[in-house]
Amino acid sequence: MQEMELHDLSDDADYAASMQQGSSSMMRSDSSKRSSSSESEGAELVYLKDNVTIHPTQFASERISGRLKLIKQGSSLFMTWIPYKGQNSNTRLSEKDRNLYTIRAVPFTEVRSIRRHTPAFGWQYIIVVLSSGLAFPPLYFYTGGVREFLATIKQHVLLVRAVSIASGSSTPVSIGDSPTNVNLERTNGGLGHDSHSISQFHGRQKQKAQDPARDISIQVLEKFSLVTKFARETTSQLFRENHSNGFGAFEKKFDSQSALDFDHKASYDTETIVNEIPVAPDPVEFDKLTLVWGKPRQPPLGSEEWTTFLDNEGRVMDSNALRKRIFYGGVDHKLRREVWAFLLGYYAYDSTYAEREYLRCIKKSEYENIKRQWQSISPEQARRFTKFRERKGLIDKDVVRTDRSVTFFDGDDNPNVHLLRDILLTYSFYNFDLGYCQGMSDLLSPILFVMEDESQSFWCFVALMERLGPNFNRDQNGMHSQLFALSKLVELLDNPLHNYFKQNDCLNYFFCFRWVLIQFKREFEYEKTMRLWEVLWTHYLSEHLHLYVCVAILKRYRNKIMGEQMDFDTLLKFINELSGRIDLDAILRDAEALCICAGENGAASIPPGTPPSLPIDNGLLYSQQEDEVL
């Protein structure tokens, strides 16, 4: 089967994006022609339900109500949902927005499954998943009508009930053979869990084992979510129930040996695999479909759009909206020099053009004063200044090894390498308690590459180190607190994987040390690192999103880790070899979904003050450190 990507349309922007793309993946062209005239001559209205509601945004408190219809034309059945024009003042829709939310007449030839769910709060909703993998936003029936809706469909289309999961609270219904000539192979993909009759429609049997990690996530959703959050979170939950490996498929970019292993496993008898390796099914059981949880990535923020966030004097009018936009799309490289200064805290969001220009002048003078302090040290003084001499030696060794494959830093006697050295030496005098530690050059390098200015690079680096400085404490308390929080998040979101680490003496999570220390700097290409960092710096969902990124990567490779019974040394080697082979966009979507799924319980798993949180008292941040050479 051709590899396809699933899209989660559970919020307005996702659905809008799919509509703007012409909904080509949602329905065949011939179906589109039929749907446009489905309510015209020869059409029969077989079901109508008012006040069927969606929650279009990620944390929406308002509802958008509309009219749900089933329309019969010939032997074809279509579904339509149109929002009302007259909403209350908080949710009144423009004609453009109304068009974006509208679900056009969708033929049931394109429907793969319908999932009915009754949350603990009692209001039933359904999620319609198309054979292309697109999922419409959950449709809430606050005044009842789900049974009638399904009964009407059953009169025209053969429904195959899959085994109920989550203690009967969710009922996935597969659309079977019918007068609409459903493609059975695509219709059944990834629906049942233990039903052999459904699997046999494929002509081959698939293992439908249950992921034990699902249960705890269901508890998280039920205990820590509001009804108004269910639209986004429950869609993610149900998608994960379809793909019981956890949080998605293996990465597409495998080396040749990994690809061979991948294809070789696919030829095994699935029941034999389960008997030998008691872990959740391998992603190949689902035809290598890539599961998309979070919102699809958007184009980077460009110059024209950037100006819409500023008032006439240069103030950012809505910092939350800006951070959300950058979270989902990143920043165009030409714009990073200006925008990164805001994200890192060098510029205040409410500062004007004039105030920022004045700040640059003041800070440049301050930087030069600090720089002159170490430049004025004579050779005779240096011989009696052990700490300075040692730190200078470490910096000199590190800068010549930092990102030399990047054109900006390559070549002999490169002036940018000298700037890197000077900024790090200046920082060791600015923050003398912390000084310099290996890894700091990795954090400074992209900042200098973007800013192309010594003083601004220095102050942006200072702002970043206000948050990441504890990573380099001699007692490693900053790193230990993050790895501890990571262990709690894995325990929450994938208890079997956490228990596996515990049984194999990997519970310290030191194999993630490099990821956390330098924020995945060596795991991605240079451009992708910058994209990741600007997403992390937005703090849009959490200031600890990097920990959810760690969980997302581990979840993606959980089957391989547990299936091959990796011990600590093997796991460390495997993690290091992932460098350059991780799909950043997929990981960001998974991390977003994990953060939303974990909710308040996830936030409670991270102790207060865990980096990159700002310290309570900046002046006392490093006062506990010993006066030793780092």
Side-chain angles (χ1 to χ4, degrees):
M1 184 184 299
Q2 183 178 3
E3 195 165 318
M4 297 176 292
E5 184 171 351
L6 301 180
H7 294 276
D8 174 9
L9 300 185
S10 59
D11 71 23
D12 51 338
D14 296 341
Y15 186 43
S18 71
M19 295 297 290
Q20 290 169 359
Q21 292 168 5
S23 301
S24 59
S25 60
M26 202 185 307
M27 59 182 72
R28 298 187 183 94
S29 58
D30 59 336
S31 299
S32 297
K33 294 176 183 178
R34 291 198 304 270
S35 66
S36 63
S37 60
S38 62
E39 295 190 63
S40 60
E41 185 178 355
E44 177 189 0
L45 180 63
V46 296
Y47 177 86
L48 185 148
K49 179 64 178 176
D50 280 313
N51 295 315
V52 177
T53 303
I54 66 169
H55 299 274
T57 56
Q58 183 173 315
F59 296 110
S61 58
E62 69 276 4
R63 309 168 184 169
I64 294 180
S65 296
R67 173 173 291 175
L68 180 66
K69 296 180 181 180
L70 290 177
I71 302 165
K72 182 75 179 296
Q73 186 173 30
S75 62
S76 299
L77 186 67
F78 299 87
M79 184 186 80
T80 298
W81 181 84
I82 301 175
Y84 299 137
K85 287 185 178 180
Q87 298 283 329
N88 61 48
S89 59
N90 292 328
T91 58
R92 188 177 301 278
L93 299 178
S94 65
E95 190 64 28
K96 178 180 177 181
D97 288 338
R98 187 168 178 268
N99 289 332
L100 292 179
Y101 291 129
T102 298
I103 299 176
R104 308 295 177 182
V106 177
F108 272 78
T109 53
E110 298 297 325
V111 176
R112 181 172 75 189
S113 69
I114 299 175
R115 290 184 169 272
R116 181 180 66 190
H117 194 89
T118 305
F121 302 95
W123 293 304
Q124 288 194 335
Y125 60 84
I126 61 169
I127 295 177
V128 178
V129 181
L130 302 180
S131 56
S132 64
L134 291 168
F136 288 112
L139 297 170
Y140 286 78
F141 290 70
Y142 285 100
T143 58
V146 172
R147 291 180 180 274
E148 293 79 2
F149 174 77
L150 295 176
T152 304
I153 295 174
K154 191 174 183 179
Q155 295 175 17
H156 305 281
V157 179
L158 176 61
L159 300 183
V160 180
R161 183 184 297 275
V163 175
S164 179
I165 48 183
S167 301
S169 60
S170 174
T171 304
V173 181
S174 172
I175 310 301
D177 198 5
S178 70
T180 54
N181 298 320
V182 173
N183 183 324
L184 291 177
E185 181 174 357
R186 291 194 301 163
T187 298
N188 186 50
L191 283 177
H193 285 263
D194 299 306
S195 175
H196 296 299
S197 61
I198 296 177
S199 298
Q200 288 168 352
F201 285 151
H202 278 26
R204 67 181 185 271
Q205 187 173 344
K206 290 185 177 182
Q207 179 67 27
K208 306 296 180 182
Q210 180 173 331
D211 180 7
R214 177 179 61 241
D215 298 332
I216 192 164
S217 292
I218 293 172
Q219 296 171 15
V220 172
L221 287 173
E222 290 181 347
K223 293 180 181 179
F224 294 94
S225 297
L226 298 175
V227 174
T228 54
K229 297 181 182 179
F230 263 40
R232 179 60 175 270
E233 301 178 1
T234 308
T235 301
S236 301
Q237 171 194 343
L238 292 175
F239 273 154
R240 184 155 68 92
E241 292 169 349
N242 276 348
H243 294 254
S244 56
N245 63 302
F247 290 85
F250 281 119
E251 307 298 335
K252 298 177 182 177
K253 295 183 179 180
F254 268 67
D255 58 19
S256 58
Q257 184 60 44
S258 296
L260 288 174
D261 292 342
F262 195 84
D263 294 336
H264 182 57
K265 288 180 182 178
S267 66
Y268 286 172
D269 179 81
T270 54
E271 292 194 9
T272 302
I273 293 177
V274 172
N275 290 334
E276 293 178 357
I277 306 172
V279 296
D282 192 271
V284 296
E285 297 300 323
F286 304 99
D287 298 306
K288 292 185 284 188
L289 291 174
T290 301
L291 182 64
V292 176
W293 277 52
K295 186 174 181 177
R297 304 298 296 165
Q298 299 176 8
L301 175 70
S303 299
E304 291 185 7
E305 187 180 2
W306 164 243
T307 59
T308 65
F309 286 96
L310 306 177
D311 65 14
N312 293 333
E313 294 184 326
R315 300 180 186 89
V316 175
M317 294 180 289
D318 189 343
S319 61
N320 289 332
L322 174 63
R323 292 186 294 109
K324 179 179 180 180
R325 175 63 180 88
I326 296 171
F327 179 89
Y328 285 113
V331 182
D332 184 88
H333 184 70
K334 295 178 182 179
L335 196 60
R336 279 176 172 150
R337 180 175 181 179
E338 184 173 5
V339 176
W340 276 25
F342 285 96
L343 294 177
L344 288 169
Y346 177 47
Y347 293 157
Y349 285 109
D350 59 354
S351 62
T352 64
Y353 293 124
E355 289 169 342
R356 293 196 287 273
E357 180 62 31
Y358 176 73
L359 176 69
R360 286 193 292 270
C361 293
I362 295 297
K363 287 297 186 180
K364 183 176 182 180
S365 176
E366 186 177 348
Y367 170 75
E368 291 172 350
N369 287 335
I370 302 170
K371 183 177 179 179
R372 280 194 290 270
Q373 293 177 15
W374 64 263
Q375 286 181 324
S376 65
I377 296 176
S378 66
E380 290 77 13
Q381 286 178 299
R383 284 199 297 268
R384 297 171 177 82
F385 197 164
T386 302
K387 184 165 290 189
F388 169 73
R389 196 170 61 249
E390 293 286 346
R391 288 178 176 175
K392 183 176 181 299
L394 287 173
I395 293 172
D396 288 339
K397 290 179 181 178
D398 280 355
V399 295
V400 297
R401 301 181 296 190
T402 302
D403 296 325
R404 299 309 296 270
S405 61
V406 179
T407 305
F408 188 77
F409 293 108
D410 69 354
D412 297 332
D413 202 30
N414 187 311
N416 296 318
V417 176
H418 296 314
L419 285 179
L420 197 67
R421 166 187 174 271
D422 289 355
I423 294 172
L424 290 170
L425 273 171
T426 305
Y427 182 78
S428 73
F429 266 67
Y430 172 82
N431 188 344
F432 207 81
D433 287 331
L434 184 60
Y436 175 80
C437 297
Q438 189 175 24
M440 290 184 180
S441 61
D442 284 283
L443 296 176
L444 173 60
S445 166
I447 295 176
L448 179 59
F449 175 76
V450 167
M451 296 297 169
E452 297 185 284
D453 178 90
E454 186 176 358
S455 172
Q456 290 189 63
S457 297
F458 172 81
W459 291 112
C460 285
F461 179 68
V462 167
L464 179 62
M465 292 303 293
E466 284 297 300
R467 292 181 175 273
L468 297 182
N471 285 8
F472 301 94
N473 283 355
R474 186 172 181 81
D475 60 8
Q476 296 186 342
N477 64 333
M479 288 299 300
H480 283 302
S481 64
Q482 291 173 88
L483 294 178
F484 172 78
L486 175 58
S487 72
K488 291 298 183 183
L489 290 177
V490 175
E491 185 177 15
L492 171 69
L493 294 163
D494 193 338
N495 191 255
L497 181 61
H498 178 79
N499 289 337
Y500 174 83
F501 290 149
K502 183 177 182 179
Q503 294 165 6
N504 288 271
D505 296 325
C506 301
L507 204 54
N508 53 25
Y509 284 79
F510 277 175
F511 47 86
C512 299
F513 192 93
R514 187 175 73 184
W515 292 354
V516 175
L517 180 70
I518 53 176
Q519 304 286 280
F520 307 94
K521 168 63 162 52
R522 299 183 187 176
E523 316 312 318
F524 298 99
E525 300 169 1
Y526 208 68
E527 169 61 27
K528 290 183 178 179
T529 298
M530 293 188 288
R531 285 170 51 200
L532 171 61
W533 282 8
E534 59 201 15
V535 168
L536 298 179
W537 294 343
T538 62
H539 300 152
Y540 171 59
L541 290 180
S542 169
E543 63 184 351
H544 299 104
L545 187 70
H546 68 295
L547 297 180
Y548 291 97
V549 172
C550 292
V551 180
I553 298 174
L554 294 175
K555 294 282 290 180
R556 285 212 161 225
Y557 294 99
R558 69 189 302 274
N559 284 7
K560 189 172 182 66
I561 292 170
M562 299 172 69
E564 297 184 6
Q565 297 292 299
M566 295 183 183
D567 58 17
F568 180 83
D569 293 336
T570 307
L571 180 58
L572 181 61
K573 181 176 182 294
F574 171 73
I575 292 296
N576 288 337
E577 290 175 350
L578 287 179
S579 178
R581 295 192 286 132
I582 302 174
D583 186 335
L584 177 60
D585 287 348
I587 289 300
L588 284 175
R589 291 193 294 265
D590 286 354
E592 175 194 355
L594 286 165
C595 186
I596 294 170
C597 183
E600 297 175 18
N601 206 22
S605 299
I606 304 174
T610 298
S613 300
L614 282 171
I616 296 175
D617 187 342
N618 293 344
L620 298 178
L621 176 61
Y622 305 111
S623 62
Q624 300 297 323
Q625 295 208 108
E626 298 177 14
D627 188 25
E628 295 181 8
V629 177
L630 299 179

